[in-house]
Amino acid sequence: ISGLGDSMAHGKLLLAACLSVVLRISHGDIQYSVAEEMKRGFVVGNVAKDIGLDPNRLSLRKARLNTDDGGKRYFDINPSTGALTVSETVDREELCGSRMSCALKYELLLEKPLELHGVVVHVEDVNDNAPQFSNGEIALEIHESATKGTAFLLGEAHDADVGKNSVQRYVLQRNGHFSLRTGTNSDGAKYSELVLEKELDREQQREMTFTLTAFDDGAPQKSGTAVIRVTVLDANDNVPVFTQPTYRIDLAENSPVNTVIVAVSATDSDEGQNGEVVYEFSRVPDKIAEIFSLDRRSGEIKVVGPVDYEKQKSYELTVQAKDGLGLASNAKVIIDIIDVNDNAPVIEIQSLNDIIPENSAPGSEIGIIKVQDKDSGKNRQVHCSLSLNVPFKLNPSLKNYYSLITTDKLDREFVAAYNVTVTATDEGTPPLSSSMTIHVSVSDVNDNPPVFEEQSYSAYVSENNKPGSSVCSVTARDPDWRQNGTVFYSLLPSEVSGAPVSSFLSINGDTGVIHAVRSFDYEKFRSLKVQVVARDNGSPPLSSNVTVSIFISDENDNSPQILYPAPAGNTFMTEMVPKAALSGSLVSKVIAVDADSGQNAWLSYQIIKSTDPGLFTVGLHSGEIRALRDISESDSMKQNLVISVKDNGQTPLSATCTVSLLISDNLAEVPDLKDVSYEENNSKLTSYLIIALVSVSTFFLTFLILVLAVRFCRRRKPRLLFDGAVAIPSAYFPPNYAEVEGAGTLRSSYNYDTYLTTGSRTSDFKFVTSYNDNTLPADDTMKNCFFSLVY
């Protein structure tokens, strides 16, 4: 039967544990009940179901269970199912002591949006503790004169359980003198008294022993025993009396060891040993005995262990005063612990996005912070603040939760990271505070286009450069990070002189160095403009343009080109100079141009060889040939001048020409001139000259008439041209040749027109007009005339 009773009791315990999972909703909190000592993983209830939330959304909303006071976590939530499970075995007696109600408070925190639910778990008592007497032996000394009905206090058995699981009744072993009487204290605790039923006779029995058993009503029922040892003495008819039945004292937490809390006092009217009173604790748990001590003689209660308001806010002690013969009485000592501001606020990060994009709008939530203080009253009131000069603030949300939000636009290029210090300060005296630094990084967004270091670029390149040579370099900076700040360069498609710009220039996409694709020719084009695009690697990419002007600088790579007279070997020309020409008279002019520019095109003229060195001179920059002195009869009729035309380049280039002059007023002398000139220029003309002389003799009369006609043509300077070349008009200049004043080109006042036939070099010629009125004066009535003779 005993075994069957234990089995049924065990079944009742398991059933009670399972049925104790009851959901109750009160004042907005979700409340559950669970028996103590349940194993880890035991499911208490489903929080998601009870708050009407899809369990699949718990993870998305970062559901978590926080303790209300930051204490040990005995329960937790499964984020996948929403089940509330036991995470640590609960010992109700250790957690709540003798309190009837044992509740653990939690906070269910949900994000997006921020939502807070109170969760209260009531821990129900299980009969896992047996009643125990503070002493295994109760010694009583009773005088033999004690009258029938006298009661002797036996004290109380202690059971850490509560309710029906605590001490409910006492049973005394049968004996011939005493019976048992039980009672209930004001706090509900059961006590027992030994009642004398039959007078004692010391002479018959000096000592007697029997047992006292305390029972609870738990399932299974448990008990504890103590041995009562009664010694029969002479009469002791007064019981010690306390000065007050209840002592109530306030004690500040963290009081030092040996601090005297109170001194209880009881008096006994008896004398001698019967009047001597000693004190001891009655029904005091071991944990309390580790904090307080009682002096048996003086009744002083002292602090011997740590007193912490946050662990227990009050203590209730029972002190027993006993005289020398065993008569005793009880008094209660209630110690209220006064809170001291000994706990600084605790800052906990519940959620944090420590990397935020720089384009986050003001008011964006980046974290949730919980701040709590274990103290009470004003010591528990907390104020939070942030470090200065940060674009964040704390926004109170729910209870002791704060949202960390942005207050201004962020710019990673200005500040890439912030160290945000959160400071929590309570209102205690003195106030306590704690701080926590949160590192927040600002992630980059491609919000900055590349910026060139200069608004425009100019570069100078000498012509005839080598293909592939570096022209210039452009640089653009992008303050963004990594790929958003990586810059690539390219040329904007365009055309230069009808050709794509890529056929002239190329650019290194990584370095921005511009290279020449071909060799440039200053004489073809002198400058070009291109647009360089700098583009980052962001998404979407940003870009900017800059204009690069490239100027081609001239090099002295073109020799002077003589336009008049024609170069030797191509044509034969001569000028007729009157014998009456005076010093300073303009005889002829060398016309030359240079395709280069600047000082490379500045031409200078010099006679390097002449028949008579002192007769003629050439203008250094004009190319005009003038008589250096008056012409005399003794001067040779045929004058040949070899003139050098040189430019002003660093390495000067030059060209030469031969100017043939005929000093004569009579055309009859022309054959001799022709013979001599052709001998000088080409020895192969000898045979042709013989034929020409015969021909000239035949038409001698014709020449005489021609001479007379010329003398009437205002003495203009004639030119005899013996060639089949095409005439060079006065307005003709080769393309890309610029006329430079004083640099060798012929002024309009000295222009000549030459007319040539297309026949044999010796048989065809024309007389031409001169446009210089000052060279060979002629008759005023005749402005222009010429004769043509075709052989």
Side-chain angles (χ1 to χ4, degrees):
I1 295 175
S2 176
L4 179 61
D6 291 342
S7 177
M8 291 177 64
H10 181 71
K12 289 180 180 180
L13 174 61
L14 182 59
L15 180 63
C18 295
L19 293 178
S20 65
V21 183
V22 181
L23 171 65
R24 299 190 300 275
I25 301 179
S26 175
H27 303 295
D29 292 339
I30 308 169
Q31 302 197 24
Y32 300 91
S33 294
V34 63
E36 65 171 327
E37 304 294 344
M38 299 308 297
K39 295 183 178 180
R40 293 183 182 180
F42 179 79
V43 178
V44 179
N46 192 296
V47 178
K49 179 180 178 181
D50 296 335
I51 65 175
L53 183 65
D54 185 359
N56 295 327
R57 292 186 53 81
L58 290 177
S59 297
L60 295 176
R61 297 188 63 181
K62 300 180 180 180
R64 54 192 174 277
L65 206 63
N66 295 329
T67 58
D68 186 46
D69 57 357
K72 190 175 182 180
R73 187 189 301 272
Y74 290 96
F75 300 92
D76 209 342
I77 186 171
N78 188 324
S80 300
T81 63
L84 182 67
T85 59
V86 177
S87 61
E88 191 71 32
T89 301
V90 182
D91 186 349
R92 196 204 68 82
E93 288 74 38
E94 179 181 356
L95 188 63
C96 300
S98 61
R99 295 196 301 271
M100 291 296 298
S101 175
C102 185
L104 298 178
K105 295 182 179 181
Y106 296 91
E107 294 170 342
L108 175 63
L109 184 66
L110 302 171
E111 296 184 21
K112 299 177 182 179
L114 186 62
E115 189 175 340
L116 188 67
H117 293 275
V119 177
V120 180
V121 181
H122 297 275
V123 181
E124 301 295 340
D125 184 46
V126 173
N127 191 28
D128 55 346
N129 292 282
Q132 289 183 348
F133 289 93
S134 57
N135 292 316
E137 181 177 305
I138 301 174
L140 295 177
E141 294 179 345
I142 302 175
H143 201 277
E144 60 179 341
S145 60
T147 59
K148 185 178 179 180
T150 301
F152 301 92
L153 184 64
L154 296 178
E156 302 173 8
H158 175 67
D159 193 324
D161 298 323
V162 295
K164 65 179 182 178
N165 294 329
S166 64
V167 176
Q168 298 297 315
R169 58 192 179 89
Y170 294 91
V171 175
L172 181 66
Q173 182 183 354
R174 287 185 180 183
N175 61 87
H177 293 275
F178 298 95
S179 64
L180 189 67
R181 184 170 64 190
T182 60
T184 304
N185 291 326
S186 59
D187 59 357
K190 303 290 184 180
Y191 67 91
S192 61
E193 293 179 328
L194 194 64
V195 180
L196 183 62
E197 297 291 340
K198 181 182 178 181
E199 291 83 355
L200 300 174
D201 187 350
R202 185 174 179 275
E203 285 71 26
Q204 291 183 359
Q205 190 174 2
R206 287 188 167 190
E207 187 176 274
M208 56 189 71
T209 300
F210 40 87
T211 61
L212 175 65
T213 304
F215 292 92
D216 59 27
D217 284 344
Q221 188 181 56
K222 295 187 177 183
S223 62
T225 61
V227 176
I228 300 175
R229 189 177 302 280
V230 178
T231 301
V232 181
L233 300 175
D234 288 333
N236 179 23
D237 52 357
N238 289 292
V239 178
V241 178
F242 282 94
T243 55
Q244 57 189 76
T246 301
Y247 296 85
R248 196 173 195 99
I249 304 99
D250 292 333
L251 177 65
E253 67 172 326
N254 302 328
S255 295
V257 176
N258 293 326
T259 297
V260 177
I261 302 172
V262 66
V264 296
S265 177
T267 58
D268 194 317
S269 300
D270 294 325
E271 295 182 354
Q273 183 179 1
N274 295 334
E276 294 179 359
V277 179
V278 294
Y279 306 93
E280 60 183 25
F281 285 130
S282 176
R283 197 173 61 86
V284 175
D286 294 339
K287 288 187 177 180
I288 296 179
E290 294 175 356
I291 301 174
F292 305 105
S293 68
L294 175 63
D295 190 288
R296 288 176 55 84
R297 296 296 178 183
S298 65
E300 288 183 347
I301 299 177
K302 294 181 180 181
V303 176
V304 294
V307 180
D308 191 348
Y309 174 85
E310 287 69 43
K311 289 185 177 180
Q312 191 163 339
K313 296 175 176 55
S314 65
Y315 297 91
E316 185 174 316
L317 310 177
T318 300
V319 180
Q320 187 178 79
K322 185 186 297 184
D323 62 18
L325 296 180
L327 295 180
S329 63
N330 292 338
K332 287 187 177 180
V333 178
I334 300 174
I335 304 173
D336 294 318
I337 308 302
I338 300 174
D339 183 43
V340 174
N341 191 28
D342 60 340
N343 290 282
V346 177
I347 303 172
E348 297 178 3
I349 298 177
Q350 297 293 313
S351 176
L352 179 64
N353 297 324
D354 56 353
I355 300 178
I356 56 176
E358 61 178 322
N359 61 348
S360 298
S364 300
E365 183 179 271
I366 63 172
I368 298 174
I369 297 173
K370 180 181 180 181
V371 180
Q372 60 184 6
D373 195 314
K374 293 182 180 180
D375 296 321
S376 62
K378 281 191 174 182
N379 298 334
R380 187 183 180 89
Q381 301 300 317
V382 178
H383 299 284
C384 293
S385 62
L386 293 181
S387 52
L388 299 176
N389 301 323
V390 293
F392 305 98
K393 73 173 182 178
L394 285 176
N395 189 23
S397 297
L398 302 170
K399 202 176 179 180
N400 50 354
Y401 288 88
Y402 296 84
S403 295
L404 182 62
I405 62 175
T406 60
T407 59
D408 203 351
K409 292 183 178 179
L410 305 176
D411 190 349
R412 190 206 66 84
E413 289 71 43
F414 182 68
V415 180
Y418 294 90
N419 288 321
V420 183
T421 300
V422 181
T423 302
T425 305
D426 60 28
E427 294 184 1
T429 305
L432 298 179
S433 64
S434 59
S435 299
M436 174 180 288
T437 299
I438 302 173
H439 184 78
V440 179
S441 298
V442 182
S443 63
D444 185 49
V445 173
N446 192 28
D447 57 347
N448 291 281
V451 177
F452 285 95
E453 292 184 346
E454 299 181 17
Q455 294 183 350
S456 62
Y457 290 83
S458 298
Y460 294 85
V461 182
S462 298
E463 63 174 331
N464 304 320
N465 58 293
K466 292 182 178 180
S469 60
S470 174
V471 175
C472 67
S473 175
V474 297
T475 303
R477 306 293 183 187
D478 194 323
D480 292 325
W481 194 49
R482 287 189 175 175
Q483 66 178 16
N484 293 334
T486 302
V487 180
F488 299 96
Y489 303 91
S490 62
L491 295 178
L492 193 66
S494 62
E495 290 188 352
V496 177
S497 299
V501 70
S502 58
S503 64
F504 293 89
L505 299 170
S506 67
I507 189 169
N508 187 308
D510 296 325
T511 63
V513 177
I514 299 176
H515 299 273
V517 175
R518 63 166 66 173
S519 179
F520 299 132
D521 189 350
Y522 175 84
E523 287 70 43
K524 290 184 178 180
F525 60 90
R526 301 185 178 184
S527 65
L528 66 157
K529 286 187 178 180
V530 294
Q531 292 284 329
V532 177
V533 180
R535 181 177 289 103
D536 60 30
N537 201 28
S539 179
L542 300 178
S543 63
S544 60
N545 298 352
V546 72
T547 300
V548 179
S549 300
I550 298 176
F551 299 95
I552 312 301
S553 60
D554 184 47
E555 284 192 349
N556 193 27
D557 58 342
N558 290 281
S559 300
Q561 182 178 352
I562 300 174
L563 302 181
Y564 182 84
N570 295 334
T571 185
F572 177 76
M573 297 182 183
T574 187
E575 298 269 357
M576 183 172 286
V577 180
K579 292 181 178 180
L582 301 177
S583 175
S585 298
L586 178 63
V587 174
S588 183
K589 179 180 176 74
V590 177
I591 302 174
V593 294
D594 195 315
D596 296 322
S597 65
Q599 67 177 8
N600 294 330
W602 296 350
L603 303 180
S604 59
Y605 302 84
Q606 183 181 3
I607 298 175
I608 59 175
K609 182 179 181 182
S610 65
T611 304
D612 189 348
L615 183 56
F616 298 101
T617 184
V618 65
L620 180 62
H621 299 296
S622 66
E624 295 178 351
I625 302 174
R626 296 180 181 272
L628 191 60
R629 57 179 174 80
D630 295 342
I631 297 176
S632 64
E633 293 293 337
S634 60
D635 291 327
S636 174
M637 179 185 298
K638 298 174 289 296
Q639 296 287 333
N640 290 328
L641 305 178
V642 179
I643 298 177
S644 171
V645 183
K646 183 171 63 175
D647 59 27
N648 198 37
Q650 290 296 329
T651 302
L653 301 177
S654 64
T656 60
C657 67
T658 301
V659 178
S660 297
L661 301 176
L662 177 63
I663 303 175
S664 177
D665 293 332
N666 191 346
L667 291 178
E669 302 172 358
V670 171
D672 295 337
L673 172 63
K674 182 188 291 188
D675 295 340
V676 175
S677 300
Y678 274 101
E679 287 176 1
E680 293 177 358
N681 288 278
N682 195 341
S683 62
K684 292 183 180 182
L685 294 180
T686 304
S687 60
Y688 297 101
L689 289 176
I690 297 173
I691 298 173
L693 289 174
V694 174
S695 299
V696 171
S697 299
T698 305
F699 298 100
F700 180 75
L701 292 175
T702 305
F703 281 105
L704 292 176
I705 297 171
L706 181 61
V707 171
L708 293 175
V710 172
R711 296 183 68 86
F712 285 101
C713 292
R714 298 182 61 189
R715 299 180 62 87
R716 291 181 180 272
K717 177 184 176 181
R719 284 182 292 178
L720 301 180
L721 300 98
F722 305 92
D723 204 335
V726 179
I728 303 175
S730 61
Y732 171 77
F733 291 96
N736 300 329
Y737 283 72
E739 179 177 355
V740 180
E741 181 72 21
T745 57
L746 185 62
R747 299 177 182 172
S748 60
S749 60
Y750 296 125
N751 286 343
Y752 293 84
D753 285 345
T754 306
Y755 300 89
L756 304 175
T757 64
T758 58
S760 170
R761 296 186 58 178
T762 59
S763 61
D764 301 334
F765 64 92
K766 287 186 179 181
F767 289 101
V768 297
T769 62
S770 172
Y771 291 90
N772 188 344
D773 296 340
N774 298 324
T775 305
L776 296 176
D779 188 0
D780 294 338
T781 63
M782 188 174 184
K783 299 296 183 180
N784 296 291
C785 68
F786 66 91
F787 293 91
S788 177
L789 177 61
V790 179
Y791 181 74

